[in-house]
Amino acid sequence: MSERSTAMKVARWVAVLVIVTIGVAAFALSFAALKELAIMARTPRELAWLWPVIVDGTIIQATISMLVLASGPERRWFLGVLVCGALVSVIGNSVHAAMAGQHLPWWAAALVAAVAPVSLLVDTHGLGMLFRASNRETIPEVAAEAEPSPGVVVEPMPADSPRPAPAPVRRRKPAARRDPAKVAKAIEMHADGVKFPDIAAALGISPSTARNYVGKAKTADTPAPAPEPGPVPEPAPALAPLAAPVRPVVPVRPRPVVQPMLPLAVGGA
């Protein structure tokens, strides 16, 4: 370790020690002055020490938060809290020195009494902001490691070994269109007994093409063989019609019609 780095380390620790000493001394003096100011504002003497704890505690919280969040967006909030807390402390110490042993007027006492609830709200909000910033910055971003797939391991080929040449790809020739007129002429000439070389010379095609024209035409003209007739099933025996039994008809005798007798009127003498 060089002498320069050793001197810088010693200077840094001396500066930290001086700042801590000055801070403790300033806190003690400010604590005593603010306690007396709370008593001057008609705060009970046994509870007056809580008022400087609230003021100086807010300043300490804002200072630590500013040091921790040096690059965060919440730093401006804690800077404002630190400035306001320092102003309250400075004004309180000045008022205590100017009005030592006297009671504060009612409006000054009201301001002293309002410091406690306002500091509680400010410190609570600052604590929530500090926790959110801490969670945002401490969440580790775990990069997912790519797991090797259990596939086939391909061994690398040595540099000196020749690489196999790729197999040539045979391309199929596009099928030539057949001219219907040439096909008909080839069939006609073949039917007249002309040979395939003469047909090819006459039509300007190869003998194999002429043979192909005629062969395909014969295949197209040949009818498909008819299916062989299978065994004819024997007809099923006809069933005799079922005749329902005839019941004898019983003659029905007509009943005699009885006509009702009409009452006769008998005349008296």
Side-chain angles (χ1 to χ4, degrees):
M1 183 180 296
S2 62
E3 296 181 359
R4 180 180 178 81
S5 57
T6 304
M8 289 294 295
K9 186 175 182 181
V10 172
R12 185 164 56 246
W13 281 108
V14 170
V16 171
L17 182 60
V18 170
I19 291 175
V20 171
T21 304
I22 294 176
V24 172
F27 178 79
L29 295 176
S30 176
F31 184 88
L34 295 179
K35 178 182 176 181
E36 292 295 332
L37 181 65
I39 296 174
M40 293 166 57
R42 300 175 182 84
T43 304
R45 185 174 295 273
E46 63 274 9
L47 298 178
W49 63 273
L50 294 176
W51 200 80
V53 170
I54 294 173
V55 176
D56 293 339
T58 302
I59 295 174
I60 294 173
Q61 185 204 33
T63 304
I64 295 176
S65 301
M66 281 188 57
L67 295 177
V68 173
L69 303 174
S71 59
E74 297 86 358
R75 187 174 183 273
R76 298 181 60 183
W77 163 265
F78 290 108
L79 177 60
V81 173
L82 177 60
V83 171
C84 294
L87 287 177
V88 171
S89 180
V90 170
I91 294 173
N93 282 271
S94 300
V95 171
H96 170 263
M99 302 181 62
Q102 301 179 15
H103 289 291
L104 298 178
W106 66 268
W107 57 268
L111 292 177
V112 171
V115 169
V118 172
S119 297
L120 178 61
L121 294 176
V122 171
D123 294 343
T124 304
H125 182 67
L127 184 62
M129 296 178 65
L130 186 62
F131 281 164
R132 286 195 298 269
S134 177
N135 293 334
R136 183 179 64 248
E137 294 180 2
T138 56
I139 294 177
E141 297 181 358
V142 181
E145 298 181 358
E147 298 182 357
S149 58
V152 181
V153 179
V154 181
E155 297 182 356
M157 298 180 61
D160 299 337
S161 60
R163 296 183 178 180
V169 180
R170 299 180 61 184
R171 297 183 179 179
R172 298 181 60 183
K173 296 181 179 180
R177 292 186 176 182
R178 296 188 302 171
D179 190 357
K182 291 185 179 181
V183 173
K185 186 64 176 179
I187 296 172
E188 182 181 357
M189 295 176 66
H190 183 267
D192 294 340
V194 183
K195 297 182 180 181
F196 290 112
D198 299 336
I199 296 175
L203 299 178
I205 57 177
S206 62
S208 60
T209 304
R211 189 179 294 104
N212 189 16
Y213 285 174
V214 176
K216 288 186 177 180
K218 289 183 178 181
T219 303
D221 295 340
T222 303
E228 297 181 359
V232 180
E234 298 180 359
L239 298 177
L242 298 177
V246 180
R247 296 181 180 180
V249 179
V250 180
V252 179
R253 296 179 181 182
R255 295 181 180 181
V257 179
V258 179
Q259 296 182 356
M261 298 295 294
L262 299 176
L264 299 175
V266 178

